[in-house]
Amino acid sequence: MKIVGIGGGTGLPMLLRGLKELNDRDEETLDITAVVTVSDDGGSTGILRDAFSMPAMGDLRNSITSLASCKSVLASVCQHRFYGANGLDGHSVGNLIFAALYEMNGSFSAAVRQACELLEVDGIVLPATETPVHLWALHEDGTISEGESNIPKSASRIDRVGLTPADPQPAPGVLKALLDADAIVLGPGSLYTSVVPNLLVDGIADAIAVSRAVKIYVCNLMTQAGETIGYSAADHLRALQSYLPAGAIDVCVVNTETIGNGLAQRYSSSGSNFVPFDSEAEQEIRRAGVVPAVASLLKSAEIKVRHDSLTLARLVVSLGRGVIGSHDMAVGRTELEVTCAESLDISVPEKSQAYL
């Protein structure tokens, strides 16, 4: 099964780790590809991308290390970050290696490929574009935030985001991976700064729409200050759909498990709240032409709210398996009913069996 994950930040690596674990356990045989945003401009990544006039490498580093061989000591070294070191404070080893590979090759995609080889990656990691892009956001109050790191600082909600330069070309291999996929997974991760920037690259949104893969959006567990305050699961979905051709998303994965009061209060103090899911949210998702797939997806015994990577990966594989062999994703898609019980089995009403 060919699965393509799209995103960045910490969300996409979490999904990739789960898919890799399924391969490691011999539960599945998966062909894993990650399409990763390159618009970050903060911290070590921002300093190095400016110094070498290259795309951002930090999100790529995280995705590559998540798919690295368990035996690779280099994977741990790449995530090491220097603190207090003269001239190296805040830099990660992986970012410095990326900069070196880029300077040696003169090609960003070649640098990514060599980094994957060094870390014995189980899969393929692709930058969304080789163009050094910058993300901007137009807020509802009419102000504009320039740069990904500045967007969450605004007190006004986001109206629209875009890239400078506009419509950059996709990196080699990206469109083919999307067109060949059995399942395309968008998220989890920051909606406007990790997921959507990939859709602003020329051809990616259209390739997702025409691909015969099942297109899955994994809704975030928590809202994000400066990005999605007050968003419901349906709000997340509608915002994503506004950057895609009509009917591009088939399934919206939503967590149904709640978090404890103490954890909720800690997040609330920083402007982040749990994304609720109820019957009204379910109906809104259906009215958007998308099937809600609900399951308990929280990782237990964590001090931060996180998806359980293995549970999510199994769910994604189940959804992908359900539509392999389909020749027309447009037929009967809105009739497809998905129920994710603890076993993560998919139940489909009789009227949709012919479609599958």
Side-chain angles (χ1 to χ4, degrees):
M1 185 185 301
K2 297 179 180 179
I3 299 179
V4 178
I6 302 177
T10 59
L12 177 59
M14 183 279 306
L15 171 67
L16 299 177
R17 280 192 294 272
L19 295 173
K20 180 180 181 298
E21 187 171 351
L22 292 181
N23 275 345
D24 292 342
R25 291 178 175 215
D26 293 325
E27 288 187 31
E28 303 286 345
T29 302
L30 305 176
D31 183 337
I32 307 167
T33 299
V35 176
V36 187
T37 182
V38 292
S39 59
D40 189 14
D41 64 349
S44 169
T45 295
I47 293 170
L48 291 173
R49 65 170 293 172
D50 288 344
F52 293 93
S53 299
M54 62 190 293
M57 75 296 289
D59 288 349
L60 283 157
R61 184 197 77 243
N62 289 332
S63 290
I64 288 172
T65 54
S66 70
L67 289 173
S69 167
C70 293
K71 299 178 182 178
S72 176
V73 177
L74 187 56
S76 298
V77 174
C78 282
Q79 293 295 69
H80 175 74
R81 195 174 295 273
F82 294 101
Y83 291 101
N86 185 27
L88 291 176
D89 186 38
H91 284 295
S92 72
V93 173
N95 285 357
L96 296 172
I97 290 174
F98 254 107
L101 291 173
Y102 178 71
E103 190 172 49
M104 292 166 60
N105 287 282
S107 164
F108 193 67
S109 288
V112 173
R113 285 195 301 273
Q114 287 191 345
C116 290
E117 291 170 5
L118 284 171
L119 295 175
E120 302 175 15
V121 164
D122 180 12
I124 299 171
V125 179
L126 301 170
T129 180
E130 292 182 299
T131 304
V133 294
H134 290 273
L135 189 68
W136 55 263
L138 172 65
H139 299 277
E140 291 181 351
D141 63 1
T143 59
I144 295 177
S145 295
E146 298 282 357
E148 180 181 314
S149 59
N150 291 319
I151 290 174
K153 297 176 183 179
S154 175
S156 178
R157 294 179 72 171
I158 293 172
D159 179 69
R160 195 80 182 165
V161 296
L163 292 177
T164 303
D167 302 317
Q169 290 300 300
V174 169
L175 299 187
K176 185 178 188 304
L178 294 170
L179 294 173
D180 290 346
D182 296 309
I184 297 173
V185 187
L186 297 98
S190 301
L191 178 62
Y192 289 109
T193 55
S194 290
V195 179
V196 169
N198 296 284
L199 308 181
L200 302 175
V201 175
D202 189 40
I204 287 185
D206 289 335
I208 292 171
V210 302
S211 174
R212 292 183 177 183
V214 58
K215 276 81 78 170
I216 304 164
Y217 171 53
V218 181
C219 185
N220 282 354
L221 300 170
M222 308 293 295
T223 63
Q224 289 185 277
E227 287 198 44
T228 54
I229 288 297
Y231 275 36
S232 66
D235 292 330
H236 281 82
L237 174 63
R238 279 193 294 266
L240 180 69
Q241 286 179 312
S242 70
Y243 295 91
L244 289 162
I249 299 296
D250 301 306
V251 180
C252 180
V253 171
V254 186
N255 168 65
T256 56
E257 189 175 351
T258 58
I259 62 174
N261 290 333
L263 197 54
Q265 289 174 3
R266 183 157 61 83
Y267 270 87
S268 180
S269 65
S270 62
S272 181
N273 295 289
F274 193 68
V275 177
F277 182 76
D278 53 22
S279 58
E280 182 179 346
E282 179 182 355
Q283 290 306 312
E284 285 188 63
I285 291 172
R286 292 185 187 280
R287 284 194 291 270
V290 176
V291 176
V294 298
S296 297
L297 296 170
L298 279 182
K299 186 172 180 62
S300 60
E302 291 287 309
I303 60 173
K304 293 184 178 181
V305 180
R306 295 285 185 265
H307 283 91
D308 184 283
S309 59
L310 190 58
T311 302
L312 179 60
R314 285 176 175 147
L315 173 54
V316 165
V317 170
S318 295
L319 291 168
R321 184 181 295 115
V323 297
I324 285 179
S326 168
H327 295 290
D328 190 353
M329 284 300 301
V331 177
R333 177 171 55 81
T334 56
E335 295 180 348
L336 179 63
E337 299 289 340
V338 180
T339 302
C340 302
E342 289 184 1
S343 63
L344 298 181
D345 289 334
I346 295 180
S347 96
V348 181
E350 195 171 310
K351 61 183 178 182
S352 293
Q353 291 294 336
Y355 154 65
L356 290 178

